[in-house]
Amino acid sequence: KVMNMKEVIKVNVEEDFDINIENAGGLPEPKVYIKSPVGTTILADLEQVSDGYIVYYTVEDDGVHNITVMFDGVSFNKTPFRVKAAYGAEPSRCRAFGEGLNGGEVNVPAHFTIETRGAGTGGLGLTVEGPCEAHIECQDNGDGSCDVTYLPTAGGEYIINILFAEEHIPGSPYKAFVEASFDPGKVTMTGSCLQRAPKVKDEVVIDLDATAAGAAKLECDVADADGRPIFNDLVERSPGIYEMSFSPRREGLLTVTAKYGGQHVPKSPLKLNVGTYINMAAIRLYGLPEEVYVDGY
């Protein structure tokens, strides 16, 4: 009798089963033939043991194979046996590609593709972990590939796990950085220096409002006519509301730059012509009479 034959086997993996003839009495050595779905036939190898034989065989095609056991040219009455062959899972043969694996922008769908052709049989697992729960859509293309779209709704780092047959494919987990969407054109810049040129030693204060511009980093710089930096103090008074202040130490042209997310905001770069410092306390008036009369008083 035939024993321990699997109904499902793997392509290109050696399989075996047993033929027990312990009580059959004087049977000749059997021959075992395996016919593939494409019509080719192979002869299995046999190892004689005390109670019969161990049959070893390897198939190269996926699909249903017919296994026939013959004694002296006569087929065993229960053959052919049918076994189904499938490719074993090989996650290393999968690949993923697309800009979405590197990152994207908040509230903008990010895309990438996964290919599992030639990787055998196995389930595909996919997760996107990050600052928010990103909605994922997967479109099966019917050719061993699928297109994946996820929607990040918050900026930051996302971890993309792609598993095949419960194992990570090459490159997984991927790290994708999602940038917060912003519009530097919506940052407003106000301050008295925009209407009246400051003077040496004045405290120049510029207010910047980025509340409608989205999330990004605000950077401000001040430089004199020779390009030398002038210290400025930038403080976020409340979310999205900033105050920049500085005090020019000499007269001449200054350049103030304000960048939001690395891009100039409206009115930046701002040119300021710093005037001469006037110490009003040092001004004295001479030649006026001690008493001045006004008609009617």
Side-chain angles (χ1 to χ4, degrees):
K1 62 181 180 178
V2 174
M3 304 170 58
N4 302 320
M5 180 182 290
K6 298 177 183 177
E7 294 182 358
V8 178
I9 61 174
K10 293 181 179 181
V11 175
N12 294 323
V13 175
E14 186 177 67
E15 303 287 350
D16 63 77
F17 61 89
D18 303 317
I19 299 176
N20 189 311
I21 60 171
E22 187 175 16
N23 300 317
L27 286 175
E29 180 176 288
K31 291 186 181 298
V32 180
Y33 300 94
I34 296 96
K35 186 175 183 180
S36 75
V38 297
T40 58
T41 301
I42 60 173
L43 182 63
D45 295 323
L46 302 178
E47 178 185 347
Q48 190 170 6
V49 293
S50 60
D51 58 356
Y53 299 89
I54 301 176
V55 181
Y56 298 96
Y57 68 103
T58 304
V59 301
E60 298 180 349
D61 301 292
D62 63 336
V64 176
H65 291 65
N66 293 315
I67 300 178
T68 302
V69 179
M70 304 188 74
F71 292 93
D72 201 16
V74 179
S75 174
F76 181 62
N77 61 359
K78 291 186 179 181
T79 60
F81 299 98
R82 292 165 62 85
V83 298
K84 184 177 180 180
Y87 287 101
E90 296 184 61
S92 62
R93 302 187 67 175
C94 300
R95 74 183 188 114
F97 56 92
E99 287 301 319
L101 295 173
N102 300 319
E105 295 183 15
V106 170
N107 294 322
V108 177
H111 308 278
F112 61 90
T113 299
I114 304 172
E115 288 184 352
T116 60
R117 285 190 290 267
T121 302
L124 184 64
L126 173 66
T127 61
V128 178
E129 303 170 356
C132 71
E133 182 177 352
H135 176 70
I136 304 173
E137 292 184 357
C138 189
Q139 174 65 48
D140 187 351
N141 297 323
D143 60 356
S145 71
C146 61
D147 294 326
V148 180
T149 300
Y150 68 96
L151 181 64
T153 56
E157 185 177 78
Y158 287 74
I159 304 298
I160 302 173
N161 299 289
I162 305 175
L163 293 87
F164 186 74
E166 299 184 354
E167 293 184 24
H168 283 280
I169 72 169
S172 177
Y174 295 87
K175 292 184 178 181
F177 186 79
V178 174
E179 296 182 352
S181 55
F182 64 95
D183 184 358
K186 292 184 178 179
V187 177
T188 60
M189 181 189 295
T190 58
S192 61
C193 65
L194 277 67
Q195 288 79 37
R196 179 178 58 83
K199 293 180 173 57
V200 173
K201 296 186 179 182
D202 281 356
E203 183 183 21
V204 180
V205 177
I206 298 177
D207 297 309
L208 296 112
D209 185 344
T211 52
K217 183 179 180 180
L218 178 65
E219 298 174 294
C220 296
D221 295 292
V222 183
D224 63 18
D226 298 322
R228 291 175 297 190
I230 297 175
F231 173 78
N232 75 89
D233 188 26
L234 180 64
V235 178
E236 186 173 14
R237 296 299 184 190
S238 61
I241 302 295
Y242 300 85
E243 180 184 279
M244 179 184 66
S245 60
F246 63 93
S247 182
R249 295 304 178 187
R250 62 176 184 170
E251 59 189 71
L253 189 66
L254 296 184
T255 301
V256 178
T257 59
K259 293 183 178 181
Y260 198 64
Q263 301 179 41
H264 283 285
V265 306
K267 300 179 183 177
S268 175
L270 176 66
K271 302 292 184 180
L272 299 177
N273 192 14
V274 178
T276 303
Y277 168 69
I278 300 176
N279 185 357
M280 298 299 294
I283 297 176
R284 298 289 186 267
L285 298 178
Y286 299 95
L288 292 176
E290 292 183 4
E291 296 182 358
V292 177
Y293 298 95
V294 179
D295 288 344
Y297 296 89

